[in-house]
Structure formats: C-alpha cells, structure tokens
Amino acid sequence: MRGKEPRRTTILSGYGGALCMSVSGNNPPATPKPIERDMVDFMLDRQARNLTPKTLAWYTAGLDKLRAFMATQGIDRTEEVKPADLRRFLVHLQAAGHNAGGASGIYGACKAFFRWYGAEYAPAGWLNPVARVQSPKRPDELLDPIDLGDFDAMLATCERSFAGDRDKAVLLVLLDSGVRHAELTALLIGDVDMMSGALLVRSGKGRKWRQVFIGATTRRALSAYLRRRQNVTPQAALWVTLSGRPLSKDGVRQIVLRRARVAGVKPWGMHAFRRGFAVGYLRNGGDVATLQRLLGHTDLRIINRYLKLLSEDLRQAHERYSPIEGLRRREKK
C-alpha cells in the first residue's frame, strides 16, 4: 500500500510564485517574516495597478534578492533595514556578478518597495534608508546603431519567396519605424494602415499605445509579403511562420541572425535597429520632441543617449566648418 505523500503547504506567495516559502513533511509551517509579508503586500499593490507581467516579474526578481540578502544579515523586519545594509546589498550584487546596469535595476525595484512601505505601514519616525543611498551609476555606453552597409547586405539575401519577402519586410519595418522587438512581434494586420503608413503599437512599454509610421519603400515590401499570406483578416498576426503560426520574439530574432549570417555581416542585436532609426532620424533633420513621441519615451535622458551617438557627426562638421581650420586650408592653397 502506498504511503501518504509528504504534505506541502505554501504559506507565503507573491506574483508568479516568487517570494514563496514551502515546507515538506508533517511539521507545522514556519511563520513568514514580517519583511516577507510586506513584500507580498507590495506585489499585491503592483498587481492591483494592472502593471504588465514583465514589470511584475522585474519587481519580484529584485525583491527576492533583497529578501535573501537581508536574511543573511539577520534582518526580519522592513523597518530594521538601514542605509548601511542597503550599501552592503549593492556591494553584494556587484560581487555576485551583476553589472552596474543590472544592480541599478534591482535597486530601483527595492526603492519602490521602501517608498510604498513608508506610505503604507511604516511606524512613526521611520527613516527611509533609500533617502541616503544613491543608485549605482550606470555606465554611459554609446552602443552602435546598425551599420547601413550591413543592413543593405542583409536585405540583399532576401529572395523572392514567402520567407524572403517576409524577412525583408521585417527588416525594413524594424529600421523604418523604430519599434521595439516586442512591439514588432505583437503587431496585427489590422494595426497597419497601408495608405498612410501608420502602425498602431498597442503593446508599448507600460501598456501605452502610440502611432508610428513606415515609408513607401517599406509599405511596398510589406504588401509583397501580405500577398503571399493566406489569412489577412485584421485580427491575424502580422508576422507568421511558413505554416501560418504567429512568429514569436525568438522567431523574429532568428530571422535577423539568419540574414546576418547569410550576408556575412555582424549579427546585430534587435535594439540596434531602434538606435539606427533614432540616429538616422536626427541626422536627417528630425527634431528631438517628435522622435521622443515616435519612440514612446517619457524621459528625455534616453533621447540624449541617441544624441551622443551623433558626436562623430559633430566632430566632422566642426572640422569642415571651423573658421580656424578654414583659414589654414586657405593658407595652404
């Protein structure tokens, strides 16, 4: 006769199974620590705000690391966390292999938690530890936009076939619209206005929708691909496989990697197309405010990163138009 399986009881659970504790056997469940209960309540607040699953997962990943570290420090209550504890936590993240950007993201989730606790449960006189701890400084990396020569080489590999026409349209829409990888994948046929070139981005960051545009060249390529489609109803996915199933994010990424490999060029990341759109837009005389709206950014600091990519353009312009350099050129003649 089979014996009873050990009893397993989940006594504390947060979003997506994170921040949970389980016990096995017949022993009574351990009492969750106050800081763990606070974190679960915080995640309930984030869910009630209808945040995206991706954002909720970001919060839980960061808080789970904070919870685990504070347990090693013998800290059971949120109000016990001091600025020095947070600094040790940041040093711990660096030692664990997190780069400055990753540590900053984790700290951002923790900062939101402590601010929520201060408004919701903090005892009188409590001092928020994040008020005295600065976030890790992110490196001001100037990542390159996609090289237009490489882009042309990738387009040249797209043969006249279902896959070739689809891949060509994917590449052109990525660079011509500046949409994010996830936004491109989520597009429906009904989101595209072939007359005006408008694309309705419904799945923007933070659930915000916006409108972007593609030009005549991209629309012609998209039309060539759609003529090979079987299902062109408005609610059908814009990008599909040979068998008609919607393309996943990984499927779109594989298109880019495959075309780069066939062309013999660098395997550009998905965000390089977005940077390519931003830099090309600015180089061709576009203004910052309109670019911000097209990209769906609420913070101009992100746009400033694209502006820094134009520093080489500015250097060359200075060399060409500097009055001193112009004087020296005239002296040489």
Side-chain angles (χ1 to χ4, degrees), residues 17 30 46 51 59 63 83 99 125 129 138 162 220 222 231 237 255 258 267 289 296 299 305:
R46 302 295 106 162
L51 300 184
Y59 276 123
L63 292 183
N99 59 28
R138 291 175 178 267
F162 178 90
R220 284 194 296 271
L222 188 55
N231 179 10
I255 287 174
R258 181 172 65 253
D299 193 338
R305 294 183 187 176

Side-chain angles (χ1 to χ4, degrees), residues 10-326:
T10 299
I11 60 173
L12 181 64
S13 62
Y15 175 74
L19 300 174
C20 66
M21 299 173 58
S22 298
V23 295
S24 299
N26 297 318
N27 295 324
T31 302
K33 298 175 182 177
I35 191 172
E36 294 166 342
R37 291 199 299 266
D38 291 341
M39 288 180 176
V40 170
D41 286 351
F42 169 78
M43 289 308 306
L44 180 62
D45 173 83
R46 302 295 106 162
Q47 284 181 276
R49 297 187 187 195
N50 196 31
L51 300 184
T52 64
K54 185 176 180 180
T55 301
L56 293 170
W58 171 71
Y59 276 123
T60 48
L63 292 183
D64 201 50
K65 289 180 172 57
L66 177 69
R67 176 195 58 78
F69 178 78
M70 292 306 162
T72 67
Q73 307 299 302
I75 296 175
D76 295 339
R77 294 180 171 275
T78 306
E79 62 266 27
E80 294 174 353
V81 179
K82 300 296 187 291
D85 300 315
L86 280 185
R87 295 188 185 102
R88 281 191 285 270
F89 175 56
L90 293 176
V91 172
H92 163 75
L93 291 177
Q94 295 172 23
H98 294 278
N99 59 28
S104 179
I106 294 169
Y107 185 64
C110 299
K111 182 184 290 187
F113 166 68
F114 283 111
R115 286 179 175 172
W116 168 87
Y117 177 78
E120 195 86 7
Y121 291 133
W126 178 75
L127 297 177
N128 192 335
V130 302
R132 297 188 180 183
V133 180
Q134 293 187 354
S135 175
K137 186 175 181 181
R138 291 175 178 267
D140 197 10
E141 296 178 299
L142 298 179
L143 300 176
D144 291 331
I146 187 168
D147 180 85
L148 294 184
D150 287 357
F151 180 77
D152 279 339
M154 292 166 68
L155 284 182
T157 70
C158 298
E159 68 285 353
R160 295 302 304 272
S161 65
F162 178 90
D165 286 345
R166 179 201 61 194
D167 295 1
K168 182 178 182 179
V170 164
L171 294 173
L172 286 168
V173 171
L174 275 171
L175 184 58
D176 202 16
S177 67
V179 292
R180 298 179 177 92
H181 183 189
E183 295 170 347
L184 176 91
T185 309
L187 286 172
L188 304 177
I189 290 178
D191 295 333
V192 183
D193 185 334
M194 295 297 288
M195 294 297 294
S196 67
L199 303 183
L200 180 60
V201 177
R202 303 174 186 271
S203 58
K205 201 169 184 179
R207 298 187 189 274
K208 296 177 181 178
W209 72 271
R210 71 183 189 283
Q211 203 172 44
V212 298
F213 297 87
I214 54 176
T217 300
T218 302
R219 294 203 300 272
R220 284 194 296 271
L222 188 55
S223 178
Y225 155 61
L226 289 175
R227 282 198 297 269
R228 297 183 181 274
R229 287 281 303 270
Q230 296 296 322
N231 179 10
V232 288
T233 59
Q235 295 305 313
L238 180 59
W239 311 111
V240 297
T241 64
L242 293 173
S243 62
R245 302 180 66 177
L247 267 177
S248 64
K249 285 181 64 177
D250 186 62
V252 173
R253 185 183 295 108
Q254 290 304 316
I255 287 174
V256 173
L257 294 176
R258 181 172 65 253
R259 292 301 170 183
R261 183 174 64 251
V262 175
V265 300
K266 174 181 176 178
W268 291 93
M270 298 300 299
H271 213 74
F273 292 86
R274 187 167 164 85
R275 289 192 293 270
F277 167 77
V279 172
Y281 186 89
L282 293 170
R283 280 176 176 162
N284 291 325
D287 65 276
V288 170
T290 305
L291 177 62
Q292 182 181 8
R293 292 178 61 188
L294 289 171
L295 292 176
H297 285 311
T298 56
D299 193 338
L300 270 176
R301 288 178 298 180
I302 305 296
I303 302 297
N304 287 334
R305 294 183 187 176
Y306 297 120
L307 287 171
K308 289 181 180 180
L309 290 169
L310 303 181
S311 59
E312 180 60 20
D313 290 3
L314 296 175
R315 185 195 66 77
Q316 293 176 4
H318 177 270
E319 184 177 307
R320 187 178 304 115
Y321 301 117
S322 164
I324 300 300
E325 295 303 318

